Amino acid sequence: MTEPRWLSAQERECWLALMAVSMQLPSLLDSELHRQARITLFDYHVLAMLSETEDHLLPMSELAGRTNASLSRLSHVVKKLEGRGWVERSQSPVDARVTVAHLCDAGMEMLAGLAPEHVNSVRELIFDGLTDDDVEDLARIGRKLVSRLDPEHWIFR
């Protein structure tokens, strides 16, 4: 058995900071979105990914990729969003074997109302504490990390 490659002091500090951000940030954003609209950050992310597409429509499998979710988790959330009248599922007009999710007008309206405060929270929690160089570095590092975790990730297409 080979000896593990232990983290250096700087790597450990970086790892612990990354873990703290990855654990605390979703919780803080979840709290704000729940207070405003009784939705989770994941719910918001699903709606946002649909809002950014032409016709506000995506195949469920592609939406799962864009939200980093299993189809099972996504299906559960989309069902909840359907119940609120924000999303609807149907067969793809191109391939009847494919189920698509569509952001309804009510969902787009709700999202448009939430977006300014959500973006403000993201700005306050992350970007206001960084320089332009920090943001550039973080984007570069984020792309590197995502490409190692998922080389086929949708952001690289």
Side-chain angles (χ1 to χ4, degrees), residues 2-3 61 66 75-79 81 90 97 119 126 135-136 140:
T2 61
E3 182 70 20
S61 58
R66 288 184 183 216
S75 182
H76 174 75
V77 168
V78 168
K79 182 178 181 179
L81 297 174
S90 61
R97 298 171 295 171
V119 170
I126 299 172
V135 172
E136 187 176 317
R140 179 181 49 76

Side-chain angles (χ1 to χ4, degrees), residues 61-69 141-157:
S61 58
E62 188 171 339
L63 184 56
R66 288 184 183 216
T67 57
N68 301 301
I141 292 165
R143 285 190 304 272
K144 278 185 175 184
L145 293 173
V146 170
S147 72
R148 288 188 60 86
L149 299 171
D150 181 7
E152 302 299 317
H153 197 276
W154 71 274
I155 63 172
F156 299 118
R157 291 186 206 142

Side-chain angles (χ1 to χ4, degrees), residues 28-40 114 117-118 121:
L28 291 168
L29 293 172
D30 256 342
S31 295
E32 186 63 28
L33 289 166
H34 190 266
R35 183 189 62 74
Q36 291 177 297
R38 303 194 68 73
I39 65 171
T40 67
L114 278 179
E117 197 164 332
H118 175 68
S121 294

Side-chain angles (χ1 to χ4, degrees), residues 1-146:
M1 185 166 147
T2 61
E3 182 70 20
R5 290 178 39 215
W6 298 111
L7 300 179
S8 69
Q10 185 176 27
E11 289 168 336
R12 181 181 174 279
E13 181 182 355
C14 179
W15 170 244
L16 293 176
L18 182 59
M19 285 300 296
V21 169
S22 69
M23 301 301 255
Q24 291 178 29
L25 185 60
S27 177
L28 291 168
L29 293 172
D30 256 342
S31 295
E32 186 63 28
L33 289 166
H34 190 266
R35 183 189 62 74
Q36 291 177 297
R38 303 194 68 73
I39 65 171
T40 67
L41 179 59
F42 184 72
D43 298 340
Y44 183 93
H45 191 49
V46 168
L47 296 169
M49 291 298 97
L50 288 170
S51 78
E52 292 179 0
T53 64
E54 190 174 332
D55 300 326
H56 303 151
L57 180 84
L58 279 173
M60 288 289 286
S61 58
E62 188 171 339
L63 184 56
R66 288 184 183 216
T67 57
N68 301 301
S70 67
L71 278 172
S72 175
R73 178 181 186 205
L74 179 64
S75 182
H76 174 75
V77 168
V78 168
K79 182 178 181 179
K80 177 177 71 170
L81 297 174
E82 280 180 303
R84 296 183 81 170
W86 296 339
V87 174
E88 61 186 10
R89 281 184 280 195
S90 61
Q91 286 182 328
S92 167
V94 177
D95 185 345
R97 298 171 295 171
V98 175
T99 300
V100 296
H102 177 255
L103 180 63
C104 301
D105 290 343
M108 188 63 189
E109 185 178 312
M110 187 280 307
L111 189 63
L114 278 179
E117 197 164 332
H118 175 68
V119 170
N120 188 56
S121 294
V122 170
R123 180 166 298 290
E124 286 178 1
L125 291 169
I126 299 172
F127 296 106
D128 286 350
L130 302 176
T131 66
D132 288 345
D133 287 342
D134 292 337
V135 172
E136 187 176 317
D137 289 344
L138 188 56
R140 179 181 49 76
I141 292 165
R143 285 190 304 272
K144 278 185 175 184
L145 293 173
V146 170

